[in-house]
Amino acid sequence: MASVENERPVRSLRIGVVGVGGMGAFHARTLAGLGGVDVVAVADPHEPNAVATAEAVGAEAFTDPLALASSEELDGVVIASPDATHPELAIAALERGTFVLCEKPLATTVGDARRVVDAELALGRRLVQVGFMRQYDPAHVQVAAALPSIGRIDYLRAVHRNAGADPRPLERVVCQSMVHDIHSVRFLTGEEFAAVTAFASGPFPSGGYRHVLAVCTLTSGAHASLEFDDTAFAYEVSVEVVGADGDLLTGGPVRATRRHGGSLDVHLGTDWFGWFAEAYRIQDAAWIASIRENRTSGPSVWDGYVAQMVVDAVIRSSTSGRTEPVELPEHPGLYA
Ligand code: ISE
């Protein structure tokens, strides 16, 4: 039996977080709460954000995101800066050989997403995980595990409601929000999108869009409908898979039911931090575990790129009124 003296202490991983608005600050705190992780640096051009998160997790505060993403001192970097900056920062980290957890979307255009794929292909190894955290959400994991029991998948319905969001143009609604539902379809069915017909209500006087409905055909001929509402009254996500021998529906997070003022109610919350807190924690812990094993697991940049192609088809169809095909390029072996 190995003596205690011979056991090598596990080295703490040095993690940086780029972009510490709401999401990045949440990752920083989540990671700082995991064993064997030191959040050593955070960067945000808005200095008060950087300082506040740095103080909360005992990190150093910086204001230059690109300098932090390019640092040689880190084992891993979380990218949670504004969406359009993700590709440049991910590529900078890739060039240093640093593991990356990049918030979704991978990019805001198909071309930029492809640049990250090409950078990884040039490197010949995966280093970037994309933060499609529903893949770690216990409710989604339970549905995924039970799929073999319902036989051939005929239909999937994804419902996603945001509450109290600032009015957003259609591009942002689809790219920031519906992109999650697109990934849910791909990871649950293992299929690709073949064509999309989408409808959007808006713009309203606020400039924002409210409902987006995408009716999709998958490569097997099965269908999926994605329903998104940006100004609902509570945050809520569900997915239902209809199979030849049964159907499956995700449950929400466990919540107490309250009797109050003559009503029976369940508090759902108005943002995703509460609904998916466990999913984020599991995702971040899985990312750290994979860094320790010197590998990358979870959703890949290929997943981020393909999702972006579907985002594009949803936006095109909502504006053209036509069914838009999704034509995927050859699938590189690195992402088999
Ligand atoms: C937000 O940016 C997220 O990432 C949430 O997970 C998503 O549910 C929400 O719709 C987005 O706005």
Side-chain angles (χ1 to χ4, degrees), residues 87-213:
E88 183 192 21
L89 295 167
I91 292 170
L94 269 172
E95 283 167 356
R96 288 279 176 222
T98 308
F99 286 101
V100 177
L101 174 61
C102 179
E103 262 303 329
K104 49 47 63 178
L106 176 60
T108 51
T109 65
V110 171
D112 275 355
R114 181 72 212 198
R115 286 204 297 126
V116 191
V117 169
D118 288 340
E120 257 196 1
L121 287 173
L123 199 67
R125 69 173 295 207
R126 286 187 52 195
L127 283 180
V128 183
Q129 171 171 343
V130 178
F132 287 126
M133 80 299 170
R134 289 187 192 170
Q135 208 168 313
Y136 299 88
D137 169 51
H140 284 74
V141 170
Q142 284 166 15
V143 164
L147 281 172
S149 68
I150 63 163
R152 186 195 62 238
I153 296 174
D154 290 327
Y155 175 61
L156 185 150
R157 175 173 180 237
V159 178
H160 184 170
R161 300 191 173 103
N162 262 9
D166 288 337
R168 293 184 294 173
L170 180 64
E171 289 73 14
R172 278 181 49 212
V173 167
V174 182
C175 188
Q176 295 179 326
S177 294
M178 196 178 261
V179 71
H180 277 295
D181 308 292
I182 291 167
H183 185 69
S184 293
V185 171
R186 294 186 64 247
F187 92 82
L188 287 171
T189 64
E191 286 196 49
E192 296 296 359
F193 285 75
V196 173
T197 314
F199 310 87
S201 60
F204 290 101
S206 63
Y209 280 72
R210 179 165 182 184
H211 298 105
V212 183
L213 168 66

Side-chain angles (χ1 to χ4, degrees), residues 257-289:
T257 346
R258 180 179 72 149
R259 285 192 181 79
H260 178 76
S263 305
L264 186 67
D265 64 61
V266 177
H267 179 74
L268 294 177
T270 52
D271 65 41
W272 50 95
F273 296 109
W275 187 279
F276 282 120
E278 190 60 2
Y280 284 113
R281 198 193 58 75
I282 298 170
Q283 168 193 257
D284 290 10
W287 177 60
I288 291 295

